[in-house]
Amino acid sequence: MRFRHGSRGLIAAALASSALMGCAGSGGDRPALPPADFVGTKEQPGEQYKIGPLDQLNIFVWRNPELSAKVQVRPDGRITTPLVNDMPATGKTPAQLSEDMRLALAEYIKDPIVSVIVENFSGTYSQQVRIVGATEKPASLPYRANMTLLDAMIAVGGLNQYAAGNKARLVRYDPKTGTQKEYDLKISKLLKDGDASANVKLEPGDVIIIPESMF
């Protein structure tokens, strides 16, 4: 009876271990993204840039240099220029902010012509690519048109010595469905083996998560 009882215990433990292993391996069911070229054959413009907190703006009012200014968007997303206080800037394109500034200044001068130039940019969070986990320097990077995984990994200095690069994943928000999707990444294959098929295109708002190896 003791032998049978012990056998049942071993079988139960084995089944439990098998179930746990199955759960641990379920992450491999995530879909893979199509590969991107190392060098794009056609450069295409990205989405319209949206101004973010801490961006440096050059606001030029034609024929009114006293109203022109170089300003930094405050952390609360607003700017202040001569005659215009607390103008919301975050989330607008330069053209949209130009039009809002024109309307505000029209109360003081006739037919103002306003241009907004972004000189140093950070972008909104929805336009940044964030890399976290086992990398040399986790960071939030402003998205650039045609940006790839290789570009992002070069910017953060690659993987650290503990990284499990081939178990990395990408989290992407789908605005059409309002849901997040996860994709498998093979960063070690890309950086260490030079496997071009592991290079993928990134989109604004992507989050790259790199786990550490268990060994």
Side-chain angles (χ1 to χ4, degrees), residues 72-146:
Q72 184 178 46
V73 182
R74 301 198 305 260
D76 65 359
R78 297 172 179 268
I79 60 171
T80 296
T81 65
L83 298 181
V84 180
N85 293 321
D86 292 334
M87 168 67 72
T90 295
K92 298 178 182 178
T93 65
Q96 289 170 336
L97 182 57
S98 296
E99 176 62 14
D100 289 347
M101 291 291 297
R102 185 190 70 80
L103 294 173
L105 290 172
E107 298 181 13
Y108 306 99
I109 61 176
K110 184 178 179 181
D111 299 328
I113 299 176
V114 183
S115 297
V116 174
I117 300 171
V118 182
E119 294 191 336
N120 291 309
F121 56 91
S122 298
T124 61
Y125 287 124
S126 64
Q127 290 184 304
Q128 294 178 3
V129 173
R130 284 167 281 181
I131 302 97
V132 297
T135 179
E136 288 297 334
K137 46 180 180 179
S140 291
L141 307 174
Y143 176 81
R144 303 192 310 274
N146 307 302

Side-chain angles (χ1 to χ4, degrees), residues 5 26 54 100 106 123 138 154-155 172 183 192 194 213:
H5 180 75
S26 62
L54 306 183
D100 289 347
I154 290 173
R172 177 173 292 170
Y183 301 89
K192 297 180 180 180
S213 174

Side-chain angles (χ1 to χ4, degrees), residues 60-68 109-115:
F60 176 74
V61 185
W62 190 55
R63 289 184 176 177
N64 291 272
E66 71 281 1
L67 300 180
S68 301
I109 61 176
K110 184 178 179 181
D111 299 328
I113 299 176
V114 183
S115 297

Side-chain angles (χ1 to χ4, degrees), residues 177-188:
T177 62
T179 60
Q180 289 185 344
K181 295 182 179 180
E182 292 192 8
Y183 301 89
D184 282 327
L185 297 176
K186 303 295 182 183
I187 300 178
S188 293

